[in-house]
Amino acid sequence: MQEAKPSRTNRERTETTRQALLDAARALFVSKGYNDTSTPDICAWTETTRGALYHHFADKRDLFRHVLLREAEAVTADILAATPDGLAPRAALIAGSQAYLDAMTVPGRTRLLLIDGPAVLGRAEMLALDEDNAADTLREGLLAAIPGAGKLPMDALAGLLSAAFDRAALDIDGGADAAEVRAALLWLLEKMLD
């Protein structure tokens, strides 16, 4: 006699549906873009109803925001994994920089976070998303690695360096020589740290 499988709880079914919607939305936002992806497309992909989608997310924009949040959290997790406690500040900043560029090579991530994200959510909301995720790691890394950093306009410096990282990710995603872009960014970072 075969044992009956325990049935999933409502919470498990709800979470499974939510994750399926996020996964489908990500795939469609990457392949078609935000504007050309409809909520019926997402529902068809997941074989769920629009009611189920709207149970989890207020609207398509809210769903997109949650997709971006997952992407930003994944980037931050990769940076943190590459910079364990006890790593010298300079080495941590360089390792974190490399980890950011590696994380941004995940197919579709650059489009989501650096192209469609700002276009759909706007600069202020994207800055807030970044502030809640990887921005602190960069600011803390700079403060620890640059002698006398407390006297520098750290928010402006971190913002400018972040923009350079984003441009590097966009260039690599666009087909530029990844080794050359990485070397240029590393040179820039080393000059800052001298």
Side-chain angles (χ1 to χ4, degrees), residues 11-87:
R11 172 182 262 167
E12 290 169 334
R13 282 191 297 275
T14 297
E15 187 56 28
T16 298
T17 300
R18 179 180 171 79
Q19 292 307 315
L21 288 165
L22 286 165
D23 292 343
R26 185 198 190 281
L28 289 166
F29 291 146
V30 168
S31 66
K32 296 172 70 172
Y34 176 84
N35 288 331
D36 291 331
T37 299
S38 68
T39 55
D41 293 337
I42 296 165
C43 292
W45 184 295
T46 58
E47 298 180 352
T48 59
T49 64
R50 287 179 75 191
L53 187 146
Y54 292 122
H55 171 76
H56 295 282
F57 306 100
D59 53 22
K60 183 173 92 167
R61 190 173 187 274
D62 184 45
L63 174 57
F64 184 66
R65 182 183 306 105
H66 281 85
V67 167
L68 295 188
L69 178 60
R70 275 197 337 179
E71 295 298 313
E73 288 171 345
V75 170
T76 301
D78 287 354
I79 292 168
L80 292 174
T83 56
D85 289 341
L87 199 59

Side-chain angles (χ1 to χ4, degrees), residues 92-156:
L93 192 57
I94 291 169
S97 300
Q98 296 285 12
Y100 171 79
L101 292 176
D102 291 341
M104 292 304 288
T105 63
V106 170
R109 189 168 280 162
T110 300
R111 178 180 187 164
L112 290 170
L113 289 174
L114 302 180
I115 300 169
D116 288 353
V120 173
L121 300 181
R123 184 174 188 274
E125 195 163 346
M126 288 305 295
L127 286 174
L129 181 71
D130 188 45
E131 198 60 38
D132 290 341
N133 288 284
D136 281 346
T137 61
L138 178 57
R139 192 177 303 107
E140 290 167 9
L142 290 170
L143 282 168
I146 299 174
K151 298 175 185 171
L152 296 172
M154 194 50 62
D155 287 341

